[in-house]
Amino acid sequence: MSFGDDRGEAHAAPRYPQELYVEQVGHGPPLLILHGFTGSTAEWDEVTPRLTPHATLLKVDLLGHGRSPAPAELDAYRMEQAVTDLLALLDRERLERVALLGYSMGGRVALHLAAAAPERITALILASASPGLAEAQERAARRASDEALADRIEQQGLAWFVDEWASIPLFASQARLPSATREALRARRMRGTAHGYAQSLRGMGTGHQRSLWQALPRLTMPTLLITGALDQKFVAINTQMAELLPNAEHVRIAEAGHTVHLEQPQAFCEVVVRFLDQGRNKNH
């Protein structure tokens, strides 16, 4: 796999897969779970008890996040390397096929994994995710923006960035959360490092990944798209995605924004469990 960039140049990835931190908990068929930018396995604390009776969760810290490494080499953070690392993890765990759930950045990684190895994915669940930016000009502008932010993260430090990130319009609906939940979210983000977050932006930010819009019609596995009804940007993106995916359902969860699994965990889990159960019933 060599995704390359807009000029057709392939990035040389490290020759070894990165050892990612993973937590395994629950009962039932395996469900690989990928967090969003600045997240970690702890991002799923609110939903884990509701999901573990229905699936064996493999919660992963992506590179530069949580308890996974934050190496210096930028190539380690490329989207193609993330896919390689996750396939190596599945091989180590002796898992031939898994269901896959990804939120936001983790959703973009999940889409790349599903596109690269569709035979390994039984079902795909994408929460507040996108296939990237369709136009080269859009990707170039986003790359420049992400590079500038990455530089500021390293210059001004982790605490500055965590507060800055929490204040962006995408997360405005988090103001509705109890103060204790917001404080816990900030504490989780503070467990990362400025270097890890900056390199993640530079390596697998939306502007750096290839567009997967044209790949969507080839993803035939059952797919569930989840968005918060208040997250109008991603509702629109996922409406378009649902039209292109051959076997997709798009669910909008009321009174939730981008962090739909945090803002409405019960409704989120009900939708996920129903989808997984439907898939299993069809296979029996």
Side-chain angles (χ1 to χ4, degrees):
M1 294 173 292
S2 181
F3 297 162
D5 63 11
D6 293 332
R7 297 167 297 184
E9 297 172 353
H11 299 292
R15 286 177 289 180
Y16 55 90
Q18 298 287 333
E19 288 274 357
L20 300 175
Y21 175 80
V22 58
E23 292 180 1
Q24 184 170 322
V25 61
H27 308 278
L31 175 63
L32 179 64
I33 302 187
L34 307 177
H35 60 78
F37 182 57
T38 73
S40 68
T41 57
E43 181 170 291
W44 306 104
D45 285 354
E46 284 79 11
V47 301
T48 293
R50 296 179 171 97
L51 295 179
T52 47
H54 306 275
T56 298
L57 310 185
L58 286 92
K59 302 187 289 182
V60 176
D61 283 347
L62 294 168
L63 210 66
H65 292 74
R67 283 175 272 190
S68 283
E73 303 87 354
L74 181 57
D75 282 342
Y77 297 83
R78 306 285 185 197
M79 189 66 82
E80 111 179 289
Q81 186 62 41
V83 170
T84 298
D85 295 342
L86 289 168
L87 289 174
L89 184 152
L90 295 182
D91 290 342
R92 286 196 301 272
E93 298 292 333
R94 298 182 180 180
L95 292 169
E96 192 65 32
R97 304 182 76 213
V98 296
L100 179 58
L101 163 60
Y103 157 68
S104 198
M105 178 187 78
R108 292 189 289 108
V109 177
L111 264 175
H112 277 82
L113 178 56
E119 72 283 359
R120 306 290 297 266
I121 309 304
T122 60
L124 181 61
I125 305 169
L126 304 174
S128 305
S130 87
L133 300 169
E135 301 298 329
Q137 187 173 359
E138 288 182 291
R139 292 195 295 275
R142 182 61 179 267
R143 280 197 302 274
S145 173
D146 284 348
E147 291 281 354
L149 178 56
D151 290 345
R152 289 191 71 191
I153 294 171
E154 292 182 329
Q155 291 164 5
Q156 301 196 39
L158 181 63
W160 168 83
F161 171 62
V162 166
D163 291 337
E164 179 75 9
W165 189 244
S167 71
I168 66 174
L170 189 66
F171 301 129
S173 59
Q174 290 180 1
R176 300 166 171 233
L177 293 170
S179 59
T181 304
R182 296 197 305 272
E183 290 167 6
L185 177 59
R186 186 182 190 279
R188 293 172 192 169
R189 288 170 169 163
M190 286 295 296
R191 293 176 195 150
T193 64
H195 169 75
Y197 292 158
Q199 289 292 76
S200 181
L201 270 178
R202 295 181 180 118
M204 65 166 65
T206 305
H208 287 274
Q209 73 160 74
R210 64 167 179 154
S211 170
L212 288 184
W213 282 102
Q214 293 184 339
L216 296 183
R218 299 193 295 274
L219 299 181
T220 59
M221 69 282 293
T223 301
L224 173 64
L225 307 175
I226 304 175
T227 51
L230 302 176
D231 186 7
Q232 295 181 2
K233 175 182 177 180
F234 278 82
V235 167
I237 290 170
N238 280 258
T239 299
Q240 294 177 324
M241 291 170 64
E243 294 173 355
L244 295 170
L245 287 159
N247 194 10
E249 173 188 6
H250 179 197
V251 175
R252 302 159 182 82
I253 293 182
E255 300 301 318
H258 194 70
T259 47
V260 57
H261 59 294
L262 182 66
E263 297 172 52
Q264 295 292 340
Q266 181 173 342
F268 176 86
C269 290
E270 288 173 355
V271 169
V272 169
V273 169
R274 175 183 56 79
F275 173 75
L276 292 175
D277 287 347
Q278 282 178 347
R280 289 164 194 155
N281 291 337
K282 287 180 182 177
N283 293 328
H284 285 85

